[in-house]
Amino acid sequence: MKEQMTVLKQAVAQLELSLQNQSSDEIQESLQRMSALCEQMRYDYKMVKQKNTGVYYKKINVLPFLYKPVETDDPFEGNYLERFSDERAYQLQTTNSITGHNAFWKEHDVLTGTVFGSVPVDLITPESAAALKKCGWKEALVEVLDFGLRVTDTKQLVEFCQRNFKNYIMISEESTHSYIALAFND
């Protein structure tokens, strides 16, 4: 919150300057900025602070997912991800899971992670879920961690996920513009 206090102090100084200049547009802009910062600080205050990391988050849900496991230590080596992607798409198509998969992932921008194929179980039929499992997909309960809208270094959030989760996806949610981590517990 130190960083946010600094930004808030700068916004107050800008407001004072705008008041002296009697600039209506700048006054409105400063007030909106201060309001947004205060709202974010209020939200952060309610969040849980992970000890020793300085990372604030709130566990907002636990959802069942199916995911396609990576079968190599370095998925970025050679053309592994390209072949993985083709196989994932084929399996989603042939099991009639592609619509549920796409519905979920169109709403989320993936920033980074160690899972390259997943779908919430609730978005596909039980028959499709069973078919994906036959293709080698694994079931996992996924903790949904909300990091909020804070102005922060996303690198810190990624490092937090790398240290604390074997299988995860770091996303930016389109509808709320907040940072979310999906932590796969299998």
Side-chain angles (χ1 to χ4, degrees):
M1 248 191 231
K2 266 186 184 178
E3 298 161 358
Q4 291 168 324
M5 286 299 297
T6 302
V7 173
L8 185 59
K9 288 176 185 176
Q10 291 170 347
V12 169
Q14 181 61 46
L15 176 62
E16 288 174 339
L17 184 61
S18 299
L19 287 169
Q20 286 175 357
N21 295 337
Q22 297 181 347
S23 173
S24 177
D25 290 342
E26 288 179 13
I27 292 169
Q28 287 297 326
E29 186 179 310
S30 294
L31 289 171
Q32 286 175 342
R33 185 172 180 212
M34 289 170 51
S35 177
L37 284 165
C38 289
E39 187 60 35
Q40 182 60 48
M41 290 171 71
R42 199 175 291 110
Y43 179 84
D44 288 349
Y45 185 73
K46 294 177 185 175
M47 301 285 271
V48 175
K49 182 176 182 179
Q50 178 67 23
K51 291 184 175 92
N52 303 324
T53 65
V55 173
Y56 291 85
Y57 67 89
K58 182 177 183 181
K59 185 165 89 172
I60 58 174
N61 211 344
V62 177
L63 301 170
F65 267 68
L66 286 175
Y67 76 99
K68 182 170 178 55
V70 172
E71 297 172 352
T72 181
D73 290 335
D74 185 4
F76 300 102
E77 187 176 305
N79 66 347
Y80 180 83
L81 281 180
E82 184 178 329
R83 288 182 290 122
F84 182 94
S85 177
D86 290 343
E87 186 176 286
R88 176 191 64 207
Y90 176 77
Q91 290 171 346
L92 288 167
Q93 279 285 8
T94 59
T95 61
N96 297 317
S97 306
I98 195 77
T99 302
H101 173 273
N102 289 347
F104 181 79
W105 289 109
K106 283 182 182 175
E107 296 294 319
H108 304 89
D109 289 332
V110 175
L111 303 175
T112 188
T114 58
V115 175
F116 300 98
S118 64
V119 62
V121 173
D122 294 344
L123 296 182
I124 59 175
T125 66
E127 296 79 18
S128 294
L132 282 174
K133 287 179 190 177
K134 285 182 183 175
C135 293
W137 289 55
K138 299 205 182 282
E139 199 164 2
L141 286 178
V142 174
E143 291 182 356
V144 181
L145 307 176
D146 183 1
F147 296 102
L149 303 169
R150 80 186 24 76
V151 179
T152 190
D153 182 7
T154 55
K155 182 180 175 187
Q156 182 183 22
L157 300 181
V158 170
E159 288 172 355
F160 170 79
C161 289
Q162 288 171 338
R163 280 193 311 271
N164 290 286
F165 311 117
K166 179 183 176 198
N167 293 316
Y168 73 93
I169 302 173
M170 185 77 191
I171 61 176
S172 172
E173 194 170 48
E174 287 285 322
S175 59
T176 63
H177 302 290
S178 61
Y179 293 112
I180 304 282
L182 304 176
F184 289 71
N185 299 310
D186 53 339

